[in-house]
């Protein structure tokens, strides 16, 4: 992607715009209006989201940067793909999704990039993310097993979201010159996130959390030493930790190996339906969001269908991958592969070039590592949850774009090309 550098410091962005973006991100994820009595009486959230969309729209055409060619532009092009996939679909939901991603979500992501690409605001972003996830964990514990609301209402969805927050809280602990209060807060946030995940009793989300922890371990410099300490710590604290975990949670985790589990059987059946849809519509799919509306046309083609089984019409595919594959075909799965695999690998290569002794480069490296591990959580937990069209992908793309812009400002264009010796400071 041809990503141009944003203006050095977004000094022209007024303070009210900065406040709107901070408020938008906080409300979007925590859903405080659904969890604090009295806040849902007036439709202020819709007004807030509209103002952020307008802010992004104005910047789209007044800012000198071409956001369509930046990585955040993939949100726009996915919206276009949604609309194209809707041609000939059985419902109009693909067109509704297309309009939403192009005119609302993309504009909001542009606003995020504009504000947080400022180096001063980027330095606050990591801490702000931890605050958001901490509040989400608190609301999840309050609503257990459900999450804060909206795209985290379901227990599985909430567990995935909280799992994506663990890397940010973990890497925040490695920032230099942390005060004791802030260090305590990050440790408390980590504990709340783990407790929130346990409260959801989600098996797929639990696997996603493990994938994130594995990614964190892989990015450590002394993997063998860390692995040995992890095993030792697990042996010492494991029994005590298990004694505090509810028995229902342990039984839910053990049921992952149960081949007769009804949830598992239904997942496998919907995945086979998904595969049949893809084979019949390999290029553009049956239309974004149209899997539930198209199930009845394909379930009779599966190996398990005899006519006596309960129809799965209206059900989701229970998998990110088997959601995109039939909905968007090879076109969509290629875009998602680029986002979920290629971009994190690019970040991984960049993390090896940072100078951890440089106070300007260390925070960027930590944020890059958090983004990588968060995507690992999404990729693995998403195997069992239909989360392809949730905010995780657009927001992650916005954060990726922000990070690249800040790297260019801090380290210079040459840094991204692998030339550490020729950097602009």
């Amino acid at each position: 992607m041809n990503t141009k550098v944003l203006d050095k410091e977004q000094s022209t962005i007024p303070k009210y715009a900065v406040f709107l973006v901070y408020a938008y991100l906080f409300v979007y994820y925590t859903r405080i209006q659904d969890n604090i009595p009295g806040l849902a009486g007036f439709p202020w959230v819709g007004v807030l989201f509209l103002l952020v969309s307008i802010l992004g729209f104005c910047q789209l055409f007044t800012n000198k940067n071409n956001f369509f060619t930046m990585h955040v532009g993939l949100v726009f092009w996915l919206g276009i793909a949604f609309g194209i996939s809707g041609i000939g679909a059985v419902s109009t939901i693909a067109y509704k999704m297309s309009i939403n991603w192009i005119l609302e979500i993309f504009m909001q992501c542009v606003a995020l990039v504009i504000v947080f690409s400022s180096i001063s605001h980027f330095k606050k972003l990591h801490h702000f993310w931890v605050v958001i996830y901490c509040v989400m964990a608190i609301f999840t514990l309050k609503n257990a097993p459900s999450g804060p609301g909206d795209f985290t209402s379901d227990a599985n969805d909430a567990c995935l979201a909280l799992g994506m927050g663990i890397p940010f809280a973990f890497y925040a602990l490695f920032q230099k010159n942390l005060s004791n209060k802030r260090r305590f807060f990050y440790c408390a946030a980590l504990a709340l996130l783990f407790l929130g995940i346990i409260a959801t009793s989600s098996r797929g989300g639990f696997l996603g959390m493990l994938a994130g922890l594995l990614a964190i371990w892989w990015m450590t410099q002394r993997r063998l030493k860390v692995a040995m300490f992890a095993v030792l710590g697990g042996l010492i604290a494991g029994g005590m930790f298990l004694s505090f975990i509810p028995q229902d949670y342990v039984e839910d985790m053990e049921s992952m190996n149960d081949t007769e589990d009804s949830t598992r059987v239904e997942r496998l059946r919907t995945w086979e339906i998904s595969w049949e849809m893809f084979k019949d519509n390999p290029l553009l799919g049956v239309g974004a969001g149209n899997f539930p509306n198209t199930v009845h046309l394909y379930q009779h083609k599966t190996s398990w269908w005899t006519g006596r089984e309960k129809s799965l019409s209206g059900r989701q595919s229970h998998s990110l991958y088997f959601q995109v594959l039939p909905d968007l075909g090879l076109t969509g799965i290629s875009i998602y592969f680029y986002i979920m695999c290629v971009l994190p690998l690019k970040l991984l290569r960049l993390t090896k070039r940072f100078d951890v002794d440089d106070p300007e480069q260390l925070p960027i490296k930590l944020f890059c590592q958090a983004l990588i591990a968060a995507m690992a959580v999404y990729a693995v937990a998403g195997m069992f949850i239909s989360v392809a069209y949730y905010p995780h992908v657009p927001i992650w793309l916005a954060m990726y774009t922000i990070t690249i812009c800040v790297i260019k400002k801090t380290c210079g264009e040459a840094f991204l090309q692998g030339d550490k010796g020729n950097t602009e400071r």
Side-chain angles (χ1 to χ4, degrees):
M1 285 270 177
N2 178 24
T3 309
K4 294 182 180 179
V5 185
L6 297 181
D7 295 333
K8 284 293 181 181
E9 289 292 332
Q10 305 293 339
S11 56
T12 58
I13 302 296
K15 290 184 178 180
Y16 73 83
V18 175
F19 171 79
L20 285 176
V21 170
Y22 272 88
Y24 159 80
L25 204 55
F26 183 82
V27 172
Y28 202 0
Y29 274 74
T30 65
R31 301 294 298 179
I32 57 172
Q33 71 276 18
D34 297 332
N35 293 277
I36 299 179
L39 291 184
F42 179 79
W44 60 275
V45 175
V47 174
L48 171 63
F49 280 39
L50 177 61
L51 290 174
V52 176
S53 298
I54 293 173
L55 172 64
F57 181 81
C58 294
Q59 289 296 322
L60 191 66
F61 296 102
T62 59
N63 195 284
K64 68 178 183 180
N65 299 282
N66 185 357
F67 292 97
F68 297 102
T69 59
M70 301 172 80
H71 289 94
V72 73
L74 286 171
V75 178
F76 173 85
W77 297 114
L78 269 174
I80 295 294
F82 293 166
I84 295 174
S85 72
I87 300 174
V90 298
S91 82
T92 60
I93 187 172
Y95 299 124
K96 295 177 182 178
M97 290 174 57
S98 177
I99 293 172
N100 181 47
W101 277 56
I102 292 173
L103 297 182
E104 184 177 352
I105 297 177
F106 174 56
M107 300 303 172
Q108 293 164 358
C109 287
V110 168
L112 290 176
V113 172
I114 287 293
V115 170
F116 288 115
S117 289
S118 162
I119 293 178
S120 59
H121 289 298
F122 177 79
K123 291 179 178 179
K124 303 173 185 177
L125 179 58
H126 197 149
H127 175 72
F128 185 57
W129 257 127
V130 179
V131 172
I132 288 175
Y133 281 112
C134 183
V135 176
M136 289 177 66
I138 293 172
F139 287 157
T140 300
L141 290 170
K142 178 181 77 73
N143 302 334
S146 301
D150 194 24
F151 64 93
T152 58
S153 296
D154 180 78
N156 294 316
D157 299 335
C159 188
L160 180 148
L162 295 178
M164 293 182 72
I166 287 177
F168 291 98
F170 175 79
Y171 283 112
L173 285 167
F174 293 89
Q175 297 177 20
K176 290 187 176 180
N177 302 319
L178 278 183
S179 65
N180 290 332
K181 289 183 179 179
R182 185 157 289 195
R183 190 178 300 278
F184 174 80
F185 169 71
Y186 293 147
C187 289
L190 268 176
L192 287 170
L193 286 167
F194 281 117
L195 290 173
I197 287 173
I198 292 173
T200 63
S201 298
S202 171
R203 293 168 293 185
F206 178 78
L207 292 177
M209 179 196 70
L210 292 181
L213 295 176
L214 184 61
I216 290 173
W217 168 76
W218 182 258
M219 287 184 285
T220 59
Q221 294 182 342
R222 301 175 180 177
R223 295 175 192 150
L224 181 59
K225 182 179 179 180
V226 172
M228 291 176 62
F229 276 110
V231 171
L232 181 61
L235 291 174
I236 295 174
M240 183 173 61
F241 179 68
L242 287 173
S243 66
F244 288 99
I245 298 179
Q247 185 61 31
D248 291 344
Y249 183 78
V250 177
E251 292 174 357
D252 283 336
M253 296 303 109
E254 291 175 345
S255 66
M256 284 191 285
N257 297 321
D258 183 5
T259 57
E260 302 300 323
D261 180 66
S262 60
T263 303
R264 175 174 179 167
V265 171
E266 183 174 310
R267 270 198 179 90
L268 293 175
R269 289 181 173 182
T270 56
W271 292 356
E272 188 175 351
I273 295 173
S274 173
W275 181 249
E276 292 296 331
M277 286 187 195
F278 167 70
K279 289 194 298 183
D280 204 34
N281 306 270
L283 186 59
L284 295 175
V286 298
N290 269 283
F291 177 89
N293 305 315
T294 318
V295 167
H296 65 284
L297 301 176
Y298 288 91
Q299 62 185 7
H300 67 279
K301 296 183 179 183
T302 60
S303 61
W304 54 267
W305 181 258
T306 65
R308 295 188 298 271
E309 291 81 6
K310 179 180 66 175
S311 173
L312 296 180
S313 181
R315 302 295 180 89
Q316 292 290 343
S317 59
H318 300 297
S319 171
L320 154 68
Y321 305 101
F322 286 105
Q323 182 182 22
V324 175
L325 199 62
D327 278 7
L328 303 173
L330 291 173
T331 301
I333 206 69
S334 298
I335 297 175
Y336 273 83
F337 175 80
Y338 179 76
I339 296 171
M340 297 170 61
C341 296
V342 177
L343 293 185
L345 288 175
K346 287 185 177 181
L347 285 180
L348 184 61
R349 287 194 293 270
L350 285 176
T351 59
K352 299 176 181 179
R353 301 173 191 165
F354 288 110
D355 181 3
V356 294
D357 294 323
D358 188 325
E360 296 297 322
Q361 293 189 25
L362 178 60
I364 306 175
K365 177 177 181 175
L366 295 174
F367 198 77
C368 285
Q369 291 175 313
L371 284 174
I372 295 167
M375 182 53 75
V377 175
Y378 179 77
V380 173
M383 293 175 63
F384 312 100
I385 318 171
S386 301
V387 291
Y389 312 128
Y390 284 9
H392 303 300
V393 166
I395 298 298
W396 192 92
L397 282 171
M399 296 301 163
Y400 180 93
T401 305
I402 290 166
T403 305
I404 295 300
C405 292
V406 172
I407 289 174
K408 287 185 177 182
K409 292 178 182 180
T410 305
C411 307
E413 183 80 32
F415 185 90
L416 293 173
Q417 308 303 323
D419 183 6
K420 293 188 291 184
N422 181 23
T423 59
E424 299 174 4
R425 299 304 306 276

